[in-house]
Amino acid sequence: MIIIMKPHTPKEEILIQKQKLEREGFEVNLSQGENYCILGLIGDTTKIDESKIGANEYVEKILKVQQPYKLANRLFHPDNTVINVKGEKIGGNKIAIMAGPCSVESEEQIVEIARRVKKSGARFLRGGAFKPRTSPYSFQGLKTHGLELLKLARKETGLPIVTEIMTADMIDKFVEDVDVIQVGARNMQNFELLKELGKTRKPILLKRGLSATIEELLMSAEYIMSEGNENVILCERGIRTFENYTRNTLDLSAIPAIKKLSHLPVIVDPSHAAGLWWMVEPLSKAAIAVGADGLIIEVHNDPANAKCDGQQSIKPDKFHRLMEDIDALAQLGSREIYETINF
Amino acid sequence: MIIIMKPHTPKEEILIQKQKLEREGFEVNLSQGENYCILGLIGDTTKIDESKIGANEYVEKILKVQQPYKLANRLFHPDNTVINVKGEKIGGNKIAIMAGPCSVESEEQIVEIARRVKKSGARFLRGGAFKPRTSPYSFQGLKTHGLELLKLARKETGLPIVTEIMTADMIDKFVEDVDVIQVGARNMQNFELLKELGKTRKPILLKRGLSATIEELLMSAEYIMSEGNENVILCERGIRTFENYTRNTLDLSAIPAIKKLSHLPVIVDPSHAAGLWWMVEPLSKAAIAVGADGLIIEVHNDPANAKCDGQQSIKPDKFHRLMEDIDALAQLGSREIYETINF
Amino acid sequence: MIIIMKPHTPKEEILIQKQKLEREGFEVNLSQGENYCILGLIGDTTKIDESKIGANEYVEKILKVQQPYKLANRLFHPDNTVINVKGEKIGGNKIAIMAGPCSVESEEQIVEIARRVKKSGARFLRGGAFKPRTSPYSFQGLKTHGLELLKLARKETGLPIVTEIMTADMIDKFVEDVDVIQVGARNMQNFELLKELGKTRKPILLKRGLSATIEELLMSAEYIMSEGNENVILCERGIRTFENYTRNTLDLSAIPAIKKLSHLPVIVDPSHAAGLWWMVEPLSKAAIAVGADGLIIEVHNDPANAKCDGQQSIKPDKFHRLMEDIDALAQLGSREIYETINF
Amino acid sequence: MIIIMKPHTPKEEILIQKQKLEREGFEVNLSQGENYCILGLIGDTTKIDESKIGANEYVEKILKVQQPYKLANRLFHPDNTVINVKGEKIGGNKIAIMAGPCSVESEEQIVEIARRVKKSGARFLRGGAFKPRTSPYSFQGLKTHGLELLKLARKETGLPIVTEIMTADMIDKFVEDVDVIQVGARNMQNFELLKELGKTRKPILLKRGLSATIEELLMSAEYIMSEGNENVILCERGIRTFENYTRNTLDLSAIPAIKKLSHLPVIVDPSHAAGLWWMVEPLSKAAIAVGADGLIIEVHNDPANAKCDGQQSIKPDKFHRLMEDIDALAQLGSREIYETINF
């Protein structure tokens, strides 16, 4: 960490600041330039509270050298983390495809879709039981009944299930019923929820907040990991910009960036990013080409009558063709989609 | 609501869509232009789920005529809402000043600051007991002990207390202990928390999310109101933009915009918006000039040693002078700050 | 175009507005809802000035049905435009690769790089002679001497040259010397320059502005086309967001969006978007996978000593391997990179 | 400037980089932390090209200590710059009010408006002759005829005129005819235009670009100043964000920020920022309260029939009342609006 003191700061104030930092256990390098005096801190600054230093009236600016996350940091964990979900791996050479409807609507719907997406190569079933909706008047999901239906679909197909949690009081139930617990974009900084999830050992699918920086996403992962749960899968799902042709702007540069900064696997949600079904195909391909470890895709057998987000769901046939295309793409990078070829 | 059908949509598809909407109880006006056919819906579209209509493959675009919120909408409630907190009013002619430290640190600290800000004209004491921090390694607040200290400060000064809630399981305690319950920016779309708060009758101070639109802020207010709690105070606290000289960009146009769209009171948080103590003064003045119903300001007796956000806190003396300046400003608009002049 | 009148607008005011619009040649559909009265305009609204209608005090909001651009609009030109530059086509099945240094520095440099990139499959040579720099103290390019060096490199390799124009007074020289004239992001709305370029018949490579919407990019293309020059190639090069790990956020959803809205070819600049050389490879692949018609890539033989933007340039060897990878990717979509295989 | 080397950079590479920088005339402080080695540069880094250093493959990140602008920097010019336009001062205690129509339409229009705004306290007449419009089909201004009409209005009222330039080839005419030359937001980084304007001695009103940072705005001022013209007035006019209730988001924190960083005067354009006439009043007041040196306001005698931007123009009567309100506000800060009170 580098602390830039204001021009014309009295010498004694600089020394006071220096000694204060030394007392906190840092080695401090002092360097006087023409206009600015600079303090360079050596030591583990991960746990320093920047705002406390910034509160000194003589401090002009603070520049970070080291990333503020440790457990999620590739610097200290050079190898890729591979997460094992009931034998299915996320983060390795096989690309993890999660597919399913925005929300679980009925047994027939979820079982039918589960069968179809499995047949096409999906390795996880996604489906919302608890739905965060911007309007209180919109369908809020089947809730615990939805979880039961997901379990039925899992029983029928063997696909592990991925579904979103909204409150900490449901954690025990989710740990019991679910294979991957999703934290939605709007809860990415619901720190209490993250801490509680950190106490479990379940794989957590952590979505990037609507306007979260990559660093903030990794800090939210750090929240979970600092409580002992290292099974974190990151998910890029579009960020908010001034462009409004698409619902959000899918930030695909985030994939190589995250892979550089962290050892955690990262997947892409093309459905929520664009909010347009016909963009799912090109964005999925781009996500694989850029190096994502997986995709989470909305598939619905009857989008026009879906209870939510039908406009961004693709039909099973389209999904099937997409899987074929993506497998070819994956193979170019010595990766693959399909478990076996027997279907 | 206006539905634009894709060019060259078959006539029968347009009729199917029209009939479907009529069955849902809308009157539908059909208008055929040169390239586009348009369906205009008449009726209460607040509760329509846009994404369901957008899922139809022949729909090009949906344009909203009416705002999607009803209870928070000025159209249906022309008069300003004035919220009464133990006799102190928010939303009327008297400007509501809330002041206090970022976080409660000790009895001496909070009582001393409470006394000072009260003397200067503050009508509410703010102070964090539960602190949402981006790093798991940062100070997370004194929690329930912090609430006790706030109650002590209230007892000493009579100032109603405003503090942030982070989880629904604390609602009963907050209803018991606190006068205004704050929902932080990161929880603005924690819909489960909003719904539970809607079941109380406590005043809720709802902060705008880091990248929330004004409409989304009002939809979050609607969540609370739809459960029966109409005591919602909105708070503009800066939005995230590409500009990084300030921590966030204070959006002061949001104040007249919200006043046009809604009847709810709206206050401004200049401390968190800029993240710089020396900007609190000019931004506070601007907030009053633009028509805000109040301010929430971080005041600390020793910012350089504050446990959090010291760099954005002002000292009691500076706060005192600011109140005088703001009172003069308020009087220009036939408003006022001070209860009485006897201090 | 749809005009929403304010609630409680007097009937006569609505009729005045309606008649005014009818006098301007539109058919006007009037539809009275519960709260809002709506006027639907039928006719060519491309040339209507929205702000003139919005100036009426009874108008609440204006919603556009039709895109405001005509010549660039796919609705009126369903087939892809293919631009022919000295026999090299942009917009067809063959992917257009433009490569070269950020700025032309010397004869040896530009000729050497031109040879290398040609050998690897580039079909165009890019290189800046006039450089728009944020600092007046930075290297501003070799200017006309740079153009001469580009011509030498073209003579040596046969590669058509692409270079940026900064002022209208250079148009004659550029028409004479250059094969594709680039308009930089900062000049995307330099409307006078666009109009003058519209009077030539040279292919124009129009870069998206730093915070331009897709619609604005297409309107800038419309400026050029409305003067008679239909040879416009669009270029996505990253937009400005709050994320600052990368210099800009490459908006790859813009590619399918532009292809839907317009018939013009669109290419991607991964070098400027990220500003990081090691992201050029993954972003280039993603751009091809998402459907871009080409790439413009910075290649330098000695990035560490480049006169500008060395941190985003890749070396010729890396470029060569990238071309091979991209050709494989392109073939998956029945497209190709290489002219012939004889090298 | 601080250069952070990648972890595990070979020692000799660090020394090579150090020596290279020393050869360029810097003193270099080397500091080795646990993971990172850091080079601190002492000397004038204003003219260093960051991208050249960043091109070294061992460089992880570059952190700036000093601002990259010198002539516009308050550090080297502590006193406020006051610009004198024919006796009218901008930047001092008297607040500069510029008012007039979006575009000059006719002699009667411009003279009438000039008379009205002068009577209400405006000290400058604004009016567009050359209009940058997003659509080529919109009214583009009366051009040189518009300049003639502005001169007529100046002759009638004595008000100095402010109008926008769009191309460098008009500079001689503007120097002859105009008192303050405006550079629009879209031309803020038209560096060639800035350089040419820097060769004149005319006051330049430089508008912040739609997505320009404060630092970039000051770098554009530096472009003008580096050519010898120190008469630069900055203008905040709203930045582009995801919020679309207003056309842009007026960034009022930019005013105290600019005043801290620079000695140049800074004014606010509330009309373009919001794009809504009814927001001009509250935003104007906020701008004065936050410390702006002036305002540029669109006033039209018949907004409903204005040739452009009528929806953001206020009528002369409203402007008159606004001036009275603003004068009262200004006096609170020991500033003033009116020259004399004799009208």
Side-chain angles (χ1 to χ4, degrees):
Chain A
M1 183 171 281
I2 286 164
I3 302 168
I4 302 171
M5 305 300 289
K6 287 212 169 69
H8 317 304
T9 298
K11 254 216 163 120
E12 55 273 23
E13 290 293 339
I14 290 171
L15 289 175
I16 289 170
Q17 182 71 2
K18 182 170 181 284
Q19 285 156 9
K20 199 174 156 186
L21 290 160
E22 283 167 346
R23 275 196 306 274
E24 293 189 34
F26 296 100
E27 192 183 321
V28 182
N29 262 3
L30 198 150
S31 157
Q32 177 65 52
E34 235 167 295
N35 301 301
Y36 293 96
C37 177
I38 288 168
L39 305 177
L41 267 62
I42 299 174
D44 178 10
T45 54
T46 320
K47 292 169 189 186
I48 267 200
D49 193 334
E50 232 183 275
S51 75
K52 288 180 75 167
I53 294 168
N56 183 302
E57 59 179 315
Y58 293 105
V59 170
E60 169 104 359
K61 216 170 25 176
I62 295 164
L63 304 172
K64 280 186 292 189
V65 173
Q66 207 168 316
Q67 282 90 16
Y69 42 88
K70 282 197 97 152
L71 303 169
N73 198 329
R74 189 178 282 275
L75 182 60
F76 309 113
H77 307 73
D79 294 333
N80 283 339
T81 285
V82 177
I83 290 170
N84 192 322
V85 184
K86 292 183 151 186
E88 294 294 348
K89 288 175 185 154
I90 304 175
N93 252 11
K94 207 179 298 161
I95 291 170
I97 305 294
M98 305 171 177
C102 175
S103 69
V104 182
E105 298 170 17
S106 68
E107 181 178 338
E108 303 71 50
Q109 177 238 23
I110 191 69
V111 172
E112 161 74 3
I113 296 175
R115 279 195 186 120
R116 298 291 300 273
V117 299
K118 184 189 183 182
K119 219 174 146 185
S120 303
R123 293 198 286 129
F124 299 84
L125 175 64
R126 62 146 291 155
F130 297 83
K131 300 295 308 168
R133 307 300 301 274
T134 34
S135 168
Y137 309 121
S138 299
F139 173 60
Q140 311 265 323
L142 295 183
K143 305 190 178 177
T144 47
H145 179 53
L147 289 183
E148 292 311 311
L149 299 180
L150 281 169
K151 283 158 69 180
L152 270 174
R154 176 175 58 192
K155 205 174 154 196
E156 286 293 321
T157 60
L159 290 177
I161 54 184
V162 184
T163 195
E164 180 169 352
I165 197 164
M166 285 177 67
T167 50
D169 62 357
M170 292 300 290
I171 288 182
D172 287 347
K173 186 153 185 52
F174 270 65
V175 167
E176 181 83 18
D177 287 357
V178 161
D179 302 299
V180 177
I181 303 179
Q182 178 179 319
V183 176
R186 288 174 177 79
N187 276 319
M188 191 201 85
Q189 292 194 322
N190 184 337
F191 301 120
E192 294 306 311
L193 181 60
L194 300 180
K195 278 191 248 181
E196 293 305 316
L197 289 168
K199 292 172 188 158
T200 76
R201 292 300 171 268
K202 275 278 162 182
I204 309 297
L205 177 59
L206 179 65
K207 289 195 151 190
R208 182 180 185 183
L210 272 80
S211 72
T213 60
I214 293 168
E215 185 173 299
E216 285 171 339
L217 174 60
L218 291 171
M219 285 307 283
S220 287
E222 189 84 3
Y223 252 101
I224 299 169
M225 297 170 89
S226 69
E227 297 286 338
N229 186 355
E230 303 205 330
N231 299 307
V232 180
I233 305 145
L234 305 170
C235 180
E236 160 62 33
R237 42 77 73 212
I239 55 173
R240 185 159 275 184
T241 70
F242 56 82
E243 176 59 65
N244 53 24
Y245 183 79
T246 44
R247 186 161 51 183
N248 292 289
T249 298
L250 184 63
D251 176 11
L252 284 178
S253 1
I255 308 305
I258 288 171
K259 294 230 147 272
K260 188 120 200 161
L261 296 167
S262 178
H263 51 94
L264 296 172
V266 54
I267 70 169
V268 166
D269 178 345
S271 310
H272 280 86
L276 296 163
W277 67 265
W278 56 270
M279 277 215 190
V280 170
E281 185 206 318
L283 293 180
S284 294
K285 290 177 179 173
I288 296 308
V290 93
D293 292 306
L295 295 169
I296 180 162
I297 295 179
E298 293 202 357
V299 177
H300 199 286
N301 48 358
D302 185 11
N305 292 303
K307 286 216 167 169
C308 79
D309 281 350
Q311 87 283 7
Q312 72 199 32
S313 298
I314 57 174
K315 293 184 187 167
D317 285 348
K318 198 168 182 59
F319 177 71
H320 190 81
R321 287 190 302 274
L322 176 59
M323 284 303 96
E324 291 174 338
D325 289 353
I326 280 179
D327 187 54
L329 251 167
Q331 287 181 25
L332 286 183
S334 306
R335 303 198 292 166
E336 54 177 354
I337 295 272
Y338 300 129
E339 187 80 23
T340 51
I341 354 171
N342 59 347
F343 62 90
Chain B
M1 183 170 284
I2 287 165
I3 301 168
I4 302 171
M5 305 300 288
K6 288 212 169 69
H8 317 304
T9 298
K11 254 216 162 118
E12 55 274 24
E13 290 293 338
I14 290 170
L15 289 174
I16 289 170
Q17 182 70 2
K18 181 169 181 284
Q19 284 157 10
K20 198 174 155 187
L21 290 160
E22 283 167 346
R23 277 196 305 274
E24 293 188 33
F26 297 99
E27 191 183 322
V28 182
N29 262 3
L30 199 151
S31 158
Q32 178 64 53
E34 236 166 294
N35 301 301
Y36 293 96
C37 176
I38 288 169
L39 305 176
L41 267 62
I42 299 174
D44 177 10
T45 54
T46 319
K47 292 171 191 185
I48 266 200
D49 193 334
E50 232 180 274
S51 75
K52 289 180 75 164
I53 294 168
N56 183 301
E57 60 179 313
Y58 294 106
V59 169
E60 167 103 1
K61 213 168 32 176
I62 297 164
L63 304 172
K64 281 186 292 189
V65 173
Q66 208 167 315
Q67 281 90 17
Y69 43 89
K70 283 197 96 152
L71 302 169
N73 197 329
R74 190 178 281 278
L75 183 59
F76 308 114
H77 307 75
D79 295 332
N80 284 339
T81 284
V82 177
I83 290 171
N84 192 321
V85 184
K86 293 185 149 186
E88 295 294 345
K89 288 173 184 154
I90 303 174
N93 252 9
K94 206 178 300 160
I95 290 170
I97 305 295
M98 304 171 178
C102 176
S103 70
V104 182
E105 297 170 19
S106 69
E107 182 178 337
E108 304 71 50
Q109 178 238 22
I110 191 69
V111 172
E112 161 74 4
I113 297 176
R115 279 195 187 122
R116 298 291 300 272
V117 301
K118 185 189 184 182
K119 218 172 147 186
S120 303
R123 293 198 284 128
F124 299 83
L125 175 65
R126 63 145 290 158
F130 297 83
K131 300 296 308 169
R133 306 301 300 276
T134 32
S135 169
Y137 309 121
S138 299
F139 173 61
Q140 311 263 324
L142 295 183
K143 306 190 177 177
T144 48
H145 179 54
L147 289 184
E148 291 312 310
L149 299 182
L150 281 169
K151 283 158 68 178
L152 270 174
R154 175 174 61 193
K155 206 175 152 194
E156 285 293 320
T157 59
L159 290 178
I161 53 184
V162 184
T163 196
E164 181 168 352
I165 197 165
M166 285 177 66
T167 49
D169 61 358
M170 292 299 292
I171 289 182
D172 287 348
K173 183 147 187 58
F174 270 66
V175 167
E176 180 84 17
D177 288 355
V178 161
D179 303 299
V180 177
I181 303 178
Q182 178 179 321
V183 176
R186 287 174 177 78
N187 276 318
M188 191 201 86
Q189 292 194 324
N190 184 336
F191 301 121
E192 293 307 310
L193 181 61
L194 300 180
K195 277 192 247 179
E196 293 305 316
L197 289 168
K199 291 171 188 159
T200 77
R201 292 301 171 265
K202 275 279 161 180
I204 308 298
L205 176 59
L206 179 65
K207 288 195 152 191
R208 183 180 185 183
L210 271 80
S211 72
T213 60
I214 293 168
E215 186 173 299
E216 285 170 339
L217 174 61
L218 292 170
M219 286 308 283
S220 287
E222 189 85 3
Y223 253 100
I224 299 169
M225 298 171 87
S226 69
E227 297 287 339
N229 186 356
E230 303 204 330
N231 299 307
V232 180
I233 305 145
L234 305 169
C235 180
E236 161 62 32
R237 44 78 70 212
I239 55 173
R240 187 159 274 185
T241 70
F242 57 81
E243 176 60 64
N244 53 24
Y245 184 79
T246 44
R247 183 158 54 186
N248 292 289
T249 298
L250 184 64
D251 177 10
L252 285 178
S253 1
I255 309 305
I258 289 171
K259 294 229 148 273
K260 189 121 199 161
L261 295 167
S262 178
H263 51 93
L264 295 172
V266 56
I267 69 168
V268 167
D269 178 346
S271 309
H272 279 86
L276 297 164
W277 66 265
W278 55 270
M279 277 215 189
V280 170
E281 185 205 316
L283 293 181
S284 294
K285 290 177 179 174
I288 297 307
V290 92
D293 291 307
L295 295 170
I296 181 162
I297 295 179
E298 292 202 359
V299 177
H300 199 286
N301 46 359
D302 184 13
N305 292 302
K307 286 217 167 168
C308 81
D309 280 351
Q311 87 284 8
Q312 72 199 33
S313 299
I314 56 173
K315 293 185 186 166
D317 284 349
K318 197 166 182 64
F319 177 70
H320 191 80
R321 288 191 300 275
L322 176 60
M323 284 303 96
E324 290 175 338
D325 288 354
I326 280 178
D327 187 54
L329 252 168
Q331 287 182 25
L332 287 183
S334 306
R335 302 198 293 167
E336 54 179 353
I337 296 270
Y338 299 128
E339 187 80 21
T340 51
I341 353 172
N342 57 348
F343 64 89
Chain C
M1 183 170 283
I2 286 165
I3 301 168
I4 302 171
M5 305 300 290
K6 288 213 168 69
H8 317 303
T9 298
K11 257 221 161 113
E12 55 273 24
E13 290 293 337
I14 290 170
L15 291 175
I16 289 170
Q17 182 70 2
K18 182 170 181 284
Q19 285 157 9
K20 198 173 154 186
L21 289 160
E22 284 167 346
R23 276 196 307 273
E24 294 188 32
F26 297 99
E27 191 183 322
V28 182
N29 262 3
L30 198 150
S31 158
Q32 178 64 52
E34 236 167 293
N35 300 301
Y36 293 95
C37 177
I38 289 169
L39 306 176
L41 267 61
I42 299 174
D44 177 10
T45 54
T46 319
K47 294 173 188 184
I48 266 199
D49 193 334
E50 233 181 272
S51 75
K52 289 180 76 165
I53 293 168
N56 184 302
E57 60 180 315
Y58 293 105
V59 169
E60 168 102 1
K61 214 169 30 176
I62 297 164
L63 304 171
K64 280 184 293 189
V65 173
Q66 207 168 317
Q67 282 89 16
Y69 43 88
K70 284 198 97 151
L71 302 170
N73 198 328
R74 189 178 282 276
L75 182 59
F76 308 114
H77 307 74
D79 295 332
N80 284 338
T81 284
V82 177
I83 290 170
N84 192 321
V85 184
K86 292 181 148 187
E88 295 294 346
K89 286 174 186 155
I90 304 176
N93 253 9
K94 205 178 301 160
I95 291 170
I97 304 295
M98 304 172 177
C102 176
S103 68
V104 182
E105 297 170 19
S106 68
E107 181 177 338
E108 304 70 49
Q109 178 239 24
I110 192 69
V111 171
E112 161 73 3
I113 297 175
R115 279 194 187 122
R116 298 292 299 272
V117 301
K118 185 187 184 185
K119 218 172 146 188
S120 302
R123 293 198 284 127
F124 298 83
L125 175 65
R126 62 145 290 156
F130 297 83
K131 300 296 305 171
R133 306 301 300 277
T134 33
S135 168
Y137 309 122
S138 299
F139 174 60
Q140 311 264 323
L142 294 182
K143 306 191 177 176
T144 47
H145 178 55
L147 289 184
E148 291 311 310
L149 299 182
L150 282 168
K151 283 159 69 180
L152 270 173
R154 175 174 60 193
K155 207 175 153 195
E156 286 294 320
T157 60
L159 290 178
I161 53 185
V162 184
T163 196
E164 181 169 351
I165 197 165
M166 286 178 66
T167 48
D169 61 358
M170 293 298 292
I171 289 181
D172 287 348
K173 182 147 188 58
F174 271 64
V175 167
E176 180 85 17
D177 287 356
V178 162
D179 303 299
V180 177
I181 302 179
Q182 178 180 320
V183 176
R186 289 175 176 78
N187 276 318
M188 191 202 86
Q189 292 194 323
N190 183 338
F191 301 120
E192 293 307 311
L193 180 61
L194 300 180
K195 277 191 247 179
E196 293 305 316
L197 289 169
K199 291 171 189 159
T200 77
R201 290 302 170 265
K202 274 279 161 181
I204 308 297
L205 176 59
L206 179 64
K207 289 196 150 189
R208 184 180 184 181
L210 272 79
S211 71
T213 60
I214 293 168
E215 185 173 301
E216 285 170 339
L217 173 61
L218 291 170
M219 286 307 283
S220 286
E222 189 85 3
Y223 253 101
I224 299 169
M225 297 170 89
S226 69
E227 297 286 339
N229 185 355
E230 303 204 329
N231 299 308
V232 180
I233 305 145
L234 304 171
C235 180
E236 161 62 32
R237 43 79 71 211
I239 55 173
R240 186 159 274 185
T241 71
F242 56 83
E243 176 58 64
N244 53 24
Y245 184 80
T246 43
R247 184 159 53 186
N248 293 288
T249 298
L250 184 64
D251 177 11
L252 285 178
S253 2
I255 309 304
I258 289 172
K259 294 228 147 274
K260 189 120 197 161
L261 296 166
S262 178
H263 51 93
L264 295 173
V266 55
I267 70 169
V268 166
D269 178 346
S271 311
H272 280 86
L276 296 163
W277 66 266
W278 55 270
M279 277 215 188
V280 170
E281 184 206 318
L283 293 181
S284 293
K285 289 177 180 174
I288 297 307
V290 93
D293 292 307
L295 294 170
I296 180 162
I297 294 179
E298 293 202 358
V299 177
H300 199 286
N301 47 358
D302 184 12
N305 292 302
K307 287 219 167 167
C308 80
D309 281 349
Q311 87 284 10
Q312 72 199 31
S313 298
I314 57 173
K315 292 183 187 167
D317 284 348
K318 198 167 181 62
F319 178 71
H320 190 81
R321 288 191 301 276
L322 177 59
M323 284 304 95
E324 291 174 338
D325 288 353
I326 280 178
D327 187 54
L329 251 168
Q331 288 181 24
L332 287 184
S334 307
R335 303 197 292 166
E336 54 178 353
I337 295 270
Y338 300 129
E339 188 79 21
T340 53
I341 352 171
N342 57 348
F343 64 88
Chain D
M1 182 170 284
I2 285 166
I3 302 168
I4 302 171
M5 305 300 289
K6 287 212 170 68
H8 317 303
T9 299
K11 253 212 164 123
E12 56 273 24
E13 290 294 338
I14 290 171
L15 289 175
I16 290 170
Q17 182 71 3
K18 183 170 180 283
Q19 285 157 9
K20 198 173 156 187
L21 290 160
E22 284 168 345
R23 277 197 304 275
E24 292 190 35
F26 296 100
E27 193 183 321
V28 182
N29 261 2
L30 197 151
S31 156
Q32 177 64 53
E34 236 167 295
N35 301 301
Y36 293 96
C37 177
I38 288 168
L39 305 176
L41 267 61
I42 299 174
D44 177 10
T45 54
T46 319
K47 293 170 188 184
I48 267 200
D49 194 334
E50 233 181 275
S51 76
K52 288 180 76 167
I53 294 168
N56 184 302
E57 59 180 314
Y58 293 106
V59 169
E60 168 103 359
K61 215 170 28 176
I62 296 164
L63 304 171
K64 278 186 293 187
V65 173
Q66 208 168 316
Q67 282 90 17
Y69 41 88
K70 283 196 97 151
L71 303 170
N73 197 328
R74 190 178 281 277
L75 182 60
F76 308 114
H77 307 73
D79 295 332
N80 284 339
T81 286
V82 177
I83 290 170
N84 192 322
V85 184
K86 290 183 151 186
E88 295 294 346
K89 287 174 185 153
I90 304 176
N93 253 9
K94 207 179 296 160
I95 291 170
I97 304 295
M98 305 171 176
C102 176
S103 69
V104 182
E105 298 170 16
S106 69
E107 180 177 340
E108 304 71 49
Q109 177 239 25
I110 192 69
V111 172
E112 162 73 3
I113 296 176
R115 278 194 186 122
R116 297 291 301 270
V117 300
K118 184 187 185 183
K119 218 174 145 185
S120 303
R123 294 198 284 129
F124 298 84
L125 175 65
R126 63 145 290 155
F130 297 83
K131 300 296 307 170
R133 306 301 300 276
T134 33
S135 168
Y137 309 121
S138 298
F139 173 61
Q140 311 264 324
L142 295 183
K143 304 190 177 176
T144 47
H145 178 54
L147 288 184
E148 293 310 310
L149 299 181
L150 281 169
K151 283 158 71 180
L152 270 173
R154 175 174 59 192
K155 205 173 154 196
E156 284 294 320
T157 60
L159 289 178
I161 53 185
V162 184
T163 196
E164 181 170 351
I165 196 165
M166 284 177 67
T167 48
D169 62 357
M170 292 299 291
I171 289 182
D172 288 347
K173 184 150 185 58
F174 270 65
V175 166
E176 179 85 17
D177 287 357
V178 162
D179 303 298
V180 177
I181 303 179
Q182 178 179 319
V183 176
R186 287 175 178 77
N187 276 318
M188 190 202 85
Q189 292 194 323
N190 184 336
F191 301 120
E192 294 306 311
L193 181 60
L194 300 180
K195 278 192 247 180
E196 294 305 315
L197 289 168
K199 293 173 187 157
T200 75
R201 292 299 171 267
K202 274 278 163 183
I204 308 298
L205 178 59
L206 179 65
K207 289 195 152 192
R208 183 180 184 182
L210 271 80
S211 72
T213 60
I214 293 168
E215 185 173 300
E216 286 171 338
L217 174 60
L218 291 171
M219 285 308 284
S220 287
E222 189 85 3
Y223 252 101
I224 299 170
M225 297 170 88
S226 69
E227 297 286 339
N229 186 356
E230 303 204 329
N231 299 307
V232 179
I233 305 145
L234 305 169
C235 180
E236 160 62 34
R237 44 76 74 210
I239 55 172
R240 186 159 276 184
T241 70
F242 56 82
E243 176 59 65
N244 53 24
Y245 184 79
T246 44
R247 185 160 51 184
N248 292 290
T249 298
L250 185 63
D251 177 9
L252 285 177
S253 3
I255 308 306
I258 289 172
K259 294 229 148 272
K260 189 120 200 160
L261 296 166
S262 178
H263 52 93
L264 296 172
V266 54
I267 70 170
V268 167
D269 177 345
S271 309
H272 281 85
L276 297 163
W277 66 266
W278 55 269
M279 277 215 190
V280 170
E281 184 204 319
L283 293 180
S284 294
K285 289 177 179 175
I288 296 307
V290 93
D293 292 306
L295 295 169
I296 181 162
I297 295 178
E298 292 202 357
V299 177
H300 200 286
N301 48 357
D302 184 12
N305 292 303
K307 287 216 166 167
C308 80
D309 281 349
Q311 88 284 8
Q312 72 199 32
S313 298
I314 57 173
K315 292 184 187 166
D317 285 347
K318 197 166 183 61
F319 177 71
H320 191 80
R321 287 190 303 275
L322 176 59
M323 285 302 97
E324 290 174 339
D325 288 354
I326 280 179
D327 187 54
L329 251 168
Q331 287 182 23
L332 286 184
S334 305
R335 303 198 292 165
E336 54 177 353
I337 296 272
Y338 299 131
E339 187 81 22
T340 52
I341 354 169
N342 58 347
F343 62 89

